[in-house]
């Protein structure tokens, strides 16, 4: 059961998976049925494998409400995206500009469900960290929704764990700067995996992988990377 009064950590670290494989999925945007199919196609084993996520689980796609079925799947580990950020704010009050933006960016389904379900989803999203570090046999991988806005991954974690994280966190969720920064290497990690910015195919800017390939859009699809090889599956 979720503790709605707990202050959840902004960063999390996961040791190397000694028993199975680790994957990361791009923005899902409500396409949970397609995600289920994708996991079956790669023989995902929930007993030993883990699926990390760059966030933006819901909105736009056909089955956003299915997020309720994923709350207790301990092997599914998302970071917070800008759509989680909007939903949490809208769950508190609908009379804001954020609510209007959320509605017009795929959030209509949320207004159509009852208050109890709205609260359950919002409380689930509140548990998400902003950044995750996952150790692999080939070195650590950083996962954040939109960008690492600091010069190093270590510094990002230090900022997020301080009391001065608000502006940094917003950039992690909302920034689009990585589109124009093509060659920068972020130290302390082998790679940083992000979503947020729709691409026709996976792109690599320095050691940053952009893996939002438009799930939830008619011309998009879902991308999953193997965290050990950093290849799509």
């Amino acid at each position: 059961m979720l503790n709605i009064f707990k202050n959840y950590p902004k960063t999390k670290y996961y040791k190397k998976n000694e028993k199975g494989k680790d994957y990361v999925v791009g923005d899902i945007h409500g396409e949970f049925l397609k995600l289920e199919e994708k996991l079956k196609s790669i023989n995902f084993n929930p007993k030993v494998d883990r699926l990390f996520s760059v966030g933006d689980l819901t909105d736009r796609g056909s089955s956003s409400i299915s997020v309720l079925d994923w709350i207790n799947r301990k092997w599914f580990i998302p970071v917070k995206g800008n759509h989680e950020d909007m939903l949490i704010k809208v769950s508190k009050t609908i009379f804001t500009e954020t609510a209007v933006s959320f509605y017009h960016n795929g959030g209509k389904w949320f207004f159509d469900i009852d208050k109890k379900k709205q609260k359950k989803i919002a409380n689930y999203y509140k548990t998400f960290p902003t950044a995750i570090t996952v150790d692999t046999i080939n070195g650590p991988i950083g996962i954040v929704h939109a960008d690492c806005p600091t010069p190093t991954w270590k510094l990002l974690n230090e900022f997020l764990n301080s009391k001065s994280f608000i502006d940094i966190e917003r950039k992690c969720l909302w920034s689009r700067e990585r589109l124009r920064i093509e060659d920068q290497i972020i130290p302390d990690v082998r790679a940083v995996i992000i979503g947020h910015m729709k691409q026709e195919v996976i792109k690599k800017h320095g050691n940053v992988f952009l893996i939002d390939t438009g799930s939830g859009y008619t011309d998009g699809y879902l991308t999953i990377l193997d965290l050990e090889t950093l290849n799509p599956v």
Side-chain angles (χ1 to χ4, degrees):
M1 181 177 293
L2 300 177
N3 182 350
I4 63 174
F5 300 106
K6 181 178 178 180
N7 290 320
Y8 292 96
K10 298 292 181 183
T11 65
K12 285 188 177 181
Y13 168 78
Y14 290 85
K15 294 180 180 178
K16 181 164 62 76
N17 189 343
E18 301 286 357
K19 296 182 178 180
K21 296 181 68 66
D22 283 343
Y23 302 92
V24 60
V25 62
D27 300 38
I28 299 167
H29 279 303
E31 297 292 1
F32 287 101
L33 297 178
K34 291 181 180 179
L35 178 57
E36 295 272 14
E37 293 172 359
K38 187 80 172 175
L39 293 178
K40 287 180 182 178
S41 74
I42 64 172
N43 296 314
F44 183 87
N45 183 353
K47 293 182 179 179
V48 293
D49 297 338
R50 299 183 297 198
L51 179 65
F52 295 89
S53 161
V54 299
D56 278 10
L57 307 190
T58 48
D59 311 331
R60 297 197 182 102
S62 61
S63 56
S64 285
I65 190 62
S66 295
V67 71
L68 289 167
D69 299 328
W70 289 69
I71 289 177
N72 294 315
R73 300 186 186 189
K74 302 301 182 185
W75 47 265
F76 179 60
I77 308 165
V79 295
K80 185 187 293 181
N82 64 304
H83 279 255
E84 283 80 27
D85 188 40
M86 286 193 290
L87 186 147
I88 291 168
K89 291 174 180 175
V90 170
S91 70
K92 298 174 183 177
T93 175
I94 63 171
F95 301 106
T96 62
E97 290 185 10
T98 298
V100 175
S101 176
F102 180 61
Y103 183 94
H104 289 294
N105 281 280
K108 180 181 180 298
W109 69 275
F110 187 71
F111 297 90
D112 293 337
I113 64 176
D114 63 58
K115 296 292 184 182
K116 186 176 180 180
K117 290 178 180 177
Q118 287 183 351
K119 185 176 181 181
K120 188 173 183 179
I121 294 168
N123 286 339
Y124 173 49
Y125 285 179
K126 289 175 186 176
T127 68
F128 294 2
T130 304
I132 285 174
T133 306
V134 186
D135 213 355
T136 75
I137 193 170
N138 294 316
I141 304 292
I143 301 172
V144 65
H145 180 62
D147 198 12
C148 174
T150 55
T152 71
W153 187 254
K154 181 180 178 182
L155 188 60
L156 174 64
N157 280 261
E158 290 175 357
F159 268 114
L160 290 174
N161 290 320
S162 74
K163 293 182 179 180
S164 304
F165 65 80
I166 295 176
D167 186 53
I168 291 293
E169 182 179 34
R170 178 170 177 79
K171 290 178 180 178
C172 288
L173 304 184
W174 289 89
S175 176
R176 303 184 71 85
E177 285 297 298
R178 193 56 52 177
L179 284 175
R180 66 176 186 82
I181 304 173
E182 297 188 356
D183 300 319
Q184 180 186 4
I185 298 294
I186 297 175
D188 308 320
V189 284
R190 177 187 174 204
V192 174
I193 314 296
I194 67 172
H196 187 53
M197 294 157 284
K198 181 187 173 194
Q199 312 294 316
E200 291 184 3
V201 295
I202 298 169
K203 290 186 178 179
K204 184 182 177 186
H205 289 189
N207 66 338
V208 180
F209 288 71
L210 291 78
I211 68 166
D212 175 8
T213 48
S215 177
Y217 291 94
T218 55
D219 61 342
Y221 60 97
L222 199 59
T223 287
I224 295 179
L225 291 188
D226 181 319
L227 277 187
E228 184 176 312
T229 65
L230 294 177
N231 292 325
V233 294

